[in-house]
Amino acid sequence: MKKIIFTLPGNELLANSIRTKINAVAGEFITRQFPDGESYVRVLANVSKREVIIICTLHQPNDKIFPLFFLSKTLKDLGATKITLVAPYLAYMRQDKKFNSGESVTSEYFAKFISSFADELITIDPHLHRRHSMSEIYSIPCKVLHASGLISNYIKEKIKNPLLIGPDSESEQWVSEVAKDANAPFIILQKERSGDTDVKVTIPQVENYKDYTPVLVDDIISTAHTMMETVGHLKKAGMKAPVCIGVHAVFAGNAFEELKNSGIDRIVTCNTIQHVSNGIDISDLLIKKPDKG
Ligand code: R5P
C-alpha cells in the first residue's frame, strides 16, 4: 500500500518532492485559523489502519504546534496505526539547562509533548548541544539525519579553494567532518554570547589563508549575529567575501537581509525550512535509511 503523507502549510515544496520520489499519496485535510486565532482541522482522507507521515518543520513553532497536535490526535481517532512526524528542523532544542533560577528547560517539556502524540520522529541535525542523544529527552524512537555530506558535496562542486570556518567549539566535530569530505582546511572560532543578539567572535590566525574563500558553516542561522560578527573579522583581516552556509534557515526578523548586506558572497541553506536561500536539497536524506539517534 502507498505511504500517505500529510503536509502542514509551509512544507509543500519538500513534501511534494518526497511524495514524488517515494510514490506516496497526499493525505487530504483542511487546516485554517478561526478569526479568534484558534485552529480548525478536518481530515478528509481515509486513514483507518494506516501508518501515516506528517511533514511539519518546526521553526516559529508556537503557531505550528497546535495544528500539528490536533491533526495527529484526529488521525489517531480516525484509526491511523502509527504517526511518523518528519520535522526537518526541530525547535526548542537550545534551552537545555537552567541558566538562571526558575527558568523553564523547554527542550525537555517540548520533547515530552511531541512524544505524547507522535509515535516516531525524524529530524535533521537537531541542536543537541549539551545532550548526547535525542533519547535523553524524547521517549519515542528518533531518527537523526545529518546534512554534512550534502554540504561537503555543495562545497566541492561550487566553491573554489574553500577554507571552512566553524563558529564555536561545539561545531568542531561536524565542521571538521564537512571539511574532510570536501578536502578543505578548516578553522574554529572562539565565540562568546552574552545575550540573544550579543555575540563576540575571535578568529585564530587567518593570514595563512588569504587566497582561500572563507566558508562559514553553522547548523542554525537565527539572528545571523554569529555569522555577521565573523564576517566583520574576516573583512578586517583582508579575507575574500565569505560564503555563508547554514543547515537551518531560521532567519529571525530581518536577519537574512542584514547578513546579505554584510559584505558576503552568498548565503546557502538546506531546505529543512522553506526559504529563498535554499540551495541544498535534503529530500534524498529523508527517504534513505537513517541512523538511530
Ligand atoms: C549555537 O550554538 C548554534 O550553533 C548557532 O551558532 C546559533 O544558533 C546561531 O545563532 P545566531 O544566528 O542567532 O547568531
Side-chain angles (χ1 to χ4, degrees):
M1 195 178 274
K2 285 184 179 181
K3 291 206 157 88
I4 181 160
I5 299 182
F6 289 83
T7 305
L8 268 295
N11 298 272
E12 292 80 1
L13 290 179
L14 181 64
N16 290 346
S17 151
I18 292 173
R19 237 183 20 242
T20 312
K21 285 179 183 171
I22 65 170
N23 195 21
V25 290
E28 275 190 80
F29 75 110
I30 300 167
T31 178
R32 63 180 173 83
Q33 249 190 3
F34 287 110
D36 61 3
E38 292 185 5
S39 296
Y40 172 87
V41 171
R42 179 180 174 206
V43 173
L44 304 170
N46 179 1
V47 293
S48 175
K49 301 198 176 82
R50 308 263 319 249
E51 294 192 1
V52 304
I53 297 167
I54 302 179
I55 301 189
C56 181
T57 206
L58 285 168
H59 74 304
Q60 301 288 345
N62 294 2
D63 289 344
K64 299 190 173 83
I65 199 71
F66 269 111
L68 173 61
F69 171 69
F70 293 137
L71 174 63
S72 306
K73 295 298 280 184
T74 312
L75 290 168
K76 271 290 172 73
D77 284 346
L78 291 170
T81 52
K82 178 180 176 190
I83 293 179
T84 298
L85 170 61
V86 177
Y89 174 70
L90 187 60
Y92 283 115
M93 289 299 287
R94 281 178 286 178
Q95 183 84 33
D96 59 0
K97 75 170 212 180
K98 279 188 179 68
F99 297 91
N100 298 292
S101 63
E103 270 177 358
S104 177
V105 182
T106 48
S107 66
E108 269 181 42
Y109 302 141
F110 191 73
K112 275 201 182 107
F113 183 49
I114 297 267
S115 303
S116 74
F117 63 82
D119 299 302
E120 181 184 30
L121 171 68
I122 300 178
T123 189
I124 297 181
D125 290 317
H127 191 77
L128 282 169
H129 206 169
R130 280 166 280 260
R131 299 194 193 281
H132 301 290
S133 111
M134 298 284 286
S135 59
E136 288 177 33
I137 47 174
Y138 279 81
S139 56
I140 51 173
C142 295
K143 290 176 182 163
V144 172
L145 307 168
H146 302 284
S148 52
L150 297 169
I151 295 176
S152 300
N153 290 348
Y154 177 91
I155 294 171
K156 264 197 290 200
E157 282 165 24
K158 313 260 185 199
I159 304 172
K160 232 177 115 192
N161 223 12
L163 164 68
L164 269 70
I165 301 183
D168 50 28
S169 51
E170 292 155 39
S171 68
E172 175 154 5
Q173 216 180 339
W174 73 278
V175 171
S176 61
E177 204 182 305
V178 174
K180 194 171 128 227
D181 290 347
N183 303 319
F186 73 94
I187 52 178
I188 300 294
L189 312 183
Q190 317 291 324
K191 177 167 107 175
E192 248 180 76
R193 183 186 280 279
S194 47
D196 286 350
T197 57
D198 202 359
V199 180
K200 279 209 169 41
V201 163
T202 46
I203 308 188
Q205 300 290 313
V206 284
E207 289 75 32
N208 308 337
Y209 297 105
K210 286 266 158 71
D211 297 332
Y212 286 73
T213 305
V215 183
L216 313 188
V217 193
D218 206 348
D219 55 349
I220 298 170
I221 313 177
S222 178
T223 65
H225 280 256
T226 303
M227 287 220 171
M228 287 189 294
E229 176 80 8
T230 311
V231 172
H233 284 283
L234 292 171
K235 267 197 211 159
K236 266 192 228 144
M239 298 288 287
K240 291 186 182 169
V243 176
C244 300
I245 302 184
V247 178
H248 305 295
V250 171
F251 291 117
N254 291 329
F256 179 64
E257 284 68 29
E258 285 174 23
L259 180 60
K260 209 166 97 182
N261 297 327
S262 68
I264 53 135
D265 174 83
R266 76 194 106 135
I267 307 169
V268 185
T269 59
C270 300
N271 54 348
T272 57
I273 297 171
Q274 208 167 293
H275 190 265
V276 64
S277 61
N278 292 165
I280 300 172
D281 179 21
I282 47 87
S283 60
D284 281 344
L285 261 191
L286 290 168
I287 62 177
K288 266 200 225 145
K289 257 197 156 198
D291 308 331
K292 289 223 162 159

